[in-house]
């Protein structure tokens, strides 16, 4: 597969992961990315997440400064975060002012705990956040690079992962192509593990 094919496959897994119950932040974390831009924009552009109304772009909400900072660090605003969770921002902001220990825990509290466990702990003093479970290690990849006489090119294949194949006019190009495919495959593996880890079917 070429890069476009791998990107399409990964994007379809991102959409599946979100539709299965993972949040934008959880998907971003599973992929090892800092900012949510790619995941959120993909889901918005495919109609999976609603487009934010222009009047919401610069709007602020009465939420704790620590949460505002954490959202900004991810490339988020509170309004965009609420879109991803299908929350009404005004209602969500009001509910976050209530301590979940003093009454029924709302969906917005659970969303905050899942996406920003440290902020949840700092705001409500519940159990300290646990270290996220690491993705189980996979076999270390090896690479075989061979000259393909019929196609006049080099083929790089990874015996441990039959999907990973690279082609190129020289060794370096074939190896780089295989590395690209391997990175996409590992991202898909991490997403699938995140779904299982969260008990989402």
């Amino acid at each position: 597969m070429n890069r476009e094919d791998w990107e399409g496959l990964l994007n379809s897994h991102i959409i599946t992961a979100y539709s299965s119950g993972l949040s934008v932040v959880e998907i971003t974390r599973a992929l090892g990315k800092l900012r949510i831009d790619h995941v959120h924009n993909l889901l918005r552009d495919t109609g999976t997440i609603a487009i934010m109304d222009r009047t919401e772009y610069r709007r602020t909400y009465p939420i704790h400064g620590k949460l505002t900072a954490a959202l900004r660090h991810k490339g988020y605003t509170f309004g965009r975060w609420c879109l991803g969770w299908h929350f009404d921002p005004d209602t969500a902001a009001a509910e976050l002012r209530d301590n979940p220990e003093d009454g029924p825990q709302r969906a917005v509290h659970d969303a905050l705990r899942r996406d920003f466990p440290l902020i949840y702990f700092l705001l409500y003093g519940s159990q300290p956040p646990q270290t996220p479970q690491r993705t189980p290690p996979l076999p270390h990849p090896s690479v075989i690079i061979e000259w393909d006489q019929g196609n006049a090119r080099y083929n790089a294949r990874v015996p441990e992962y039959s999907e990973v194949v690279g082609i190129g006019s020289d060794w370096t190009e074939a190896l780089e192509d295989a590395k690209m495919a391997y990175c996409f495959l590992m991202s898909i593996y991490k997403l699938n593990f995140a779904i299982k880890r969260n008990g989402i079917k």
Side-chain angles (χ1 to χ4, degrees):
M1 292 194 295
N2 58 30
R3 173 174 287 274
E4 290 74 21
D5 293 333
W6 277 110
E7 287 178 346
L9 184 60
L10 176 58
N11 288 344
S12 70
H13 276 76
I14 290 173
I15 295 170
T16 298
Y18 181 78
S19 300
S20 298
L22 286 178
S23 72
V24 172
V25 173
E26 288 172 325
I27 293 170
T28 301
R29 187 183 299 133
L31 293 173
K33 305 295 184 184
L34 175 62
R35 294 177 62 87
I36 53 82
D37 302 274
H38 173 72
V39 174
H40 182 92
N41 292 346
L42 167 69
L43 296 171
R44 179 202 61 202
D45 293 345
T46 57
T48 313
I49 288 178
I51 298 175
M52 176 178 280
D53 190 276
R54 287 185 176 275
T55 60
E56 290 287 321
Y57 283 176
R58 297 185 181 277
R59 188 175 174 191
T60 59
Y61 292 89
I63 59 174
H64 199 283
K66 291 184 183 298
L67 176 55
T68 300
L71 288 164
R72 186 180 299 120
H73 186 66
K74 290 284 186 186
Y76 246 162
T77 62
F78 185 70
R80 289 180 78 198
W81 182 72
C82 288
L83 274 178
W85 280 99
H86 308 294
F87 295 147
D88 173 73
D90 290 306
T91 303
E95 291 178 348
L96 285 176
R97 289 196 293 272
D98 298 330
N99 192 318
E101 301 297 323
D102 298 335
Q105 184 171 10
R106 313 286 178 87
V108 68
H109 291 120
D110 184 55
L112 178 61
R113 179 184 55 78
R114 285 171 53 179
D115 282 353
F116 301 100
L118 180 58
I119 300 301
Y120 185 88
F121 170 66
L122 292 174
L123 294 184
Y124 305 117
S126 60
Q127 291 183 337
Q130 297 180 344
T131 303
Q133 186 180 356
R134 290 179 175 270
T135 307
L138 289 171
H140 291 290
S142 53
V143 181
I144 299 173
I145 302 177
E146 300 172 315
W147 174 250
D148 182 348
Q149 186 69 40
N151 292 305
R153 68 188 187 193
Y154 282 96
N155 293 334
R157 57 186 179 86
V158 178
E160 295 82 2
Y161 307 100
S162 60
E163 308 95 320
V164 177
V165 178
I167 60 174
S169 58
D170 55 33
W171 290 11
T172 301
E173 188 177 330
L175 180 59
E176 289 301 316
D177 198 40
K179 286 167 63 177
M180 174 273 299
Y182 177 77
C183 289
F184 275 108
L185 184 65
M186 290 302 99
S187 293
I188 291 169
Y189 170 72
K190 290 173 184 177
L191 273 182
N192 290 337
F193 175 74
I195 293 173
K196 294 178 182 177
R197 180 186 60 205
N198 284 277
I200 301 168
K201 300 181 179 179

